[in-house]
């Protein structure tokens, strides 16, 4: 598992830097670089602490500028794009590399640029275990396994293929995206970072990061995070052995929270929650912006016991926690205040081990879907697709669909 | 029950639909290829097995298909539908990865005087239940009208509108 390890190693380094930065922050909290980061340095070297000791969005803007300063003009043009509805909506959950999403490929970056990019992601995402940057690292590592185990000449491992293991030493280097896999491009090198609009503490801009099974969009207005959606996250394989020999279940937080919620429903509540339709995928996925069903269905959260209401909020949390902690906190407050107007619905079973097992949380603002699909590369296993949206805040609420 | 209604304009076969079939589908879709003969239309069905299983809920496949393919003439008279042999195979569409599919053939015969090239297809296999599914309908051959190209011409897409959770009617 060479490359997932490499990715994880760098990410840990970035996290360490961020922690270091937090220490400095007390003395230097308001430092925001407004002159374009390290432009005055002789070399295009990323600073040791890309956030320059600033917390939250200020630190993110510093890290973004530090990253931009490591790039050539051509690379900058790939990263910095206009914040239009068309660019915002151009994302996918598919392994379609750069053909279906904007930004610069991690695999096209030098080691130094990659470190700077990861500092940006670390500053933009949550610090929780199993969520935020920790979870993103696991999703990318899972995709490195897919890259190693997907054989385009014979197709996937078939029904009886070996379970994914840590022996992924054949994974292509993240630094070397190349063709040869037809329509598929698996691996952590095929994840793309983009800034829609200019990273700044004034005005509106969005950070976009995505690849196979991942689409992160966090939008900022005047220095505050206002939206962490749409956020698509899925994973295959759902369980694998990590570089340190430990079992990694990249989406355990989401799956366990969903299972705890639906497991708490009484037979009567479950009947009320059950939809007549079946789902092979999420309903409001990529290119479905604004296509929320007009009618909310399922069991009304206001009819649930207080403990169950808390489970609903707990189930929302792992998705919202993709954003930096302060932004996530703000959004969760909104969703908590709207719980009594929120509905939970299910389809299929509640074991989350069979194609079509499905859960939806639909409120005035929050929209979460979790669905189990058959495996693609590991066809003897299921895998998860999920999406978190906000009825009014997707892409910062900048566009109407 | 919701009904996907599609008027198969077989002769002109130039119908464009709004289900954006050109963009990659996260999941495999159904493919329906229509061959127009002198007295009947053959529908070749390629159905992703996973979604078919979710949709038919244990009902035998032939009976299930017959219940969800109910073409009628434009003045409302029913066609007869005969489901032929079924086969299971492996398929792959752009960006879906390989998957199992069920291949079936349905012979659609109009009532006396029924127009082979203008009818309401009334097809909702899988989509009546699996609301994330899409069906692409194409005309492959129409010998009598001079269509013999190897490339099929897409005439319509059948999908659920998730805002209203209903099927749209294409005409």
């Amino acid at each position: 598992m060479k490359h997932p390890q490499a990715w994880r190693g760098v990410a840990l380094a970035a996290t360490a830097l961020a922690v270091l930065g937090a220490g400095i922050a007390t003395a230097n909290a308001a430092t925001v670089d407004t002159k374009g980061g390290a432009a005055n340095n002789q070399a295009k070297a990323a600073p040791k602490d890309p956030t320059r000791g600033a917390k939250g969005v200020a630190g993110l803007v510093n890290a973004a500028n530090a990253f931009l300063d490591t790039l050539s003009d051509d690379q900058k043009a790939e990263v910095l794009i206009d914040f239009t509805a068309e660019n915002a909506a151009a994302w996918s959950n598919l392994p379609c590399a750069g053909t279906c999403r904007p930004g610069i490929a991690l695999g096209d970056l030098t080691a130094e640029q990659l470190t700077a990019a990861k500092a940006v992601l670390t500053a933009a995402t949550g610090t929780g275990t199993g969520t935020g940057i920790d979870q993103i690292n696991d999703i990318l590592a899972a995709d490195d396994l897919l890259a190693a185990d997907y054989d385009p000449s014979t197709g996937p491992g078939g029904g009886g293929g070996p379970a994914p293991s840590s022996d992924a030493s054949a994974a292509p280097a993240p630094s070397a995206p190349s063709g040869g896999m037809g329509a598929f491009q698996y691996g952590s090198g095929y994840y793309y970072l983009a800034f829609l609009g200019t990273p700044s503490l004034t005005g509106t801009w969005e950070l976009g990061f995505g690849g196979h099974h991942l689409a992160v969009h966090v939008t900022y207005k005047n220095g505050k995070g206002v939206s962490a959606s749409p956020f698509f996250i899925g994973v295959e394989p759902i369980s694998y052995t990590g570089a340190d020999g430990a079992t990694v279940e990249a989406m355990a937080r989401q799956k366990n929270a969903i299972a705890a919620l639906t497991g708490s429903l009484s037979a009567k509540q479950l009947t009320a929650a059950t939809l007549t339709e079946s789902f092979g995928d999420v309903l409001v996925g990529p290119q479905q912006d604004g296509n929320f069903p007009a009618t909310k269905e399922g069991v009304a959260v206001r009819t649930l016991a207080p403990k169950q209401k808390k489970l609903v909020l707990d189930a929302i949390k792992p998705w919202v926690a993709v954003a930096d902690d302060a932004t996530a906190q703000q959004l969760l407050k909104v969703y908590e205040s709207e719980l009594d107007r929120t509905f939970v619905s299910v389809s299929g079973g509640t074991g989350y081990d069979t194609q079509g097992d499905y859960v939806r949380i639909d409120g005035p603002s929050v929209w979460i879907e979790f669905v189990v699909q058959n495996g693609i590369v590991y066809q003897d296993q299921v895998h998860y697709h999920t999406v978190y949206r906000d009825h009014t805040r997707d892409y910062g609420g900048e566009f109407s669909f | 029950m919701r009904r996907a209604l599609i008027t198969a304009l077989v002769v002109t076969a130039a119908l464009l639909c709004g289900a954006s079939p050109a963009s990659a589908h996260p999941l495999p879709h159904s493919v329906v290829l229509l061959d127009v003969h002198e007295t009947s239309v053959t529908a070749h069905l390629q159905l992703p097995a996973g979604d078919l299983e979710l949709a038919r809920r244990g009902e035998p496949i032939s009976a299930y298909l017959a219940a969800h393919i109910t073409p009628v003439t434009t003045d409302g008279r029913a066609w007869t539908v005969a489901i032929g042999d079924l086969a299971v195979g492996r398929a792959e569409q752009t960006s879906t990865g390989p998957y199992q599919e069920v291949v079936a053939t349905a012979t659609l015969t109009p009532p006396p005087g029924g127009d082979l090239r203008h009818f309401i297809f009334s097809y909702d296999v899988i989509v009546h239940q699996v609301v994330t599914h899409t069906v692409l309908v194409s005309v492959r051959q129409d010998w009598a009208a001079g269509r013999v190209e190897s490339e099929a011409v897409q005439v319509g897409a059948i999908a659920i509108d998730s805002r209203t959770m209903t099927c749209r009617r294409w005409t």
Side-chain angles (χ1 to χ4, degrees), chain B:
Chain B
M1 182 181 299
R2 298 185 196 94
R3 273 287 168 197
L5 300 174
I6 181 162
T7 305
L9 299 175
V10 175
V11 175
T12 53
L15 188 61
L16 293 176
C17 295
S20 62
S23 66
H25 283 273
L27 276 183
H29 49 259
S30 291
V31 174
V32 176
L33 298 171
L34 300 176
D35 290 345
V36 181
H37 307 293
E38 278 190 27
T39 57
S40 66
V41 173
T42 306
H44 300 271
L45 315 179
Q46 300 164 15
L47 310 170
D51 279 357
L52 178 62
E53 289 308 295
L54 281 177
R56 71 186 178 95
R57 299 183 159 187
E59 191 177 352
I61 293 177
S62 291
Y64 169 78
L65 293 177
H68 292 276
I69 306 173
T70 55
V72 294
T73 62
T74 49
D75 58 3
R77 289 178 296 141
W79 289 37
T80 55
V81 175
I83 306 297
D85 290 341
L86 306 170
V88 178
R90 221 180 76 152
E92 180 163 355
Q93 291 164 1
T94 307
S95 294
T96 61
Y99 61 93
Q100 293 254 302
E101 75 172 10
V102 172
V103 178
T105 303
T107 303
L108 320 176
T109 309
D115 189 335
L116 280 166
R117 294 180 181 80
H118 298 88
F119 60 97
I120 297 169
F121 192 20
S122 192
Y123 175 106
D124 69 354
V125 172
I126 299 181
V127 290
H128 72 97
Q129 177 63 30
V130 183
V131 294
T132 47
H133 197 80
T134 299
V135 182
L136 302 187
V137 183
S138 302
V139 175
R140 189 168 61 177
Q141 290 178 2
D142 186 354
W143 290 84
R147 263 203 60 76
V148 292
E149 299 98 298
S150 54
E151 288 282 304
V153 175
Q154 191 178 314
V155 294
I158 300 171
I160 293 283
D161 177 339
S162 60
R163 294 187 200 227
T164 58
M165 297 302 283
T166 56
C167 284
R168 286 161 289 197
R169 177 177 178 146
W170 304 110
T171 56

Side-chain angles (χ1 to χ4, degrees), chain A residues 8-24 48-50 119 122:
Chain A
R8 182 172 275 276
V10 174
L12 284 175
T15 308
L17 282 175
V19 170
L20 209 70
I24 300 165
K48 284 222 170 84
D49 171 16
T122 302

Side-chain angles (χ1 to χ4, degrees), chain A residues 254-273:
Chain A
Q254 277 93 347
K255 185 242 177 188
N256 291 340
I258 285 291
L261 167 60
T262 57
S264 82
L265 299 177
S266 69
K268 204 175 153 193
Q269 289 168 334
L270 193 60
T271 302

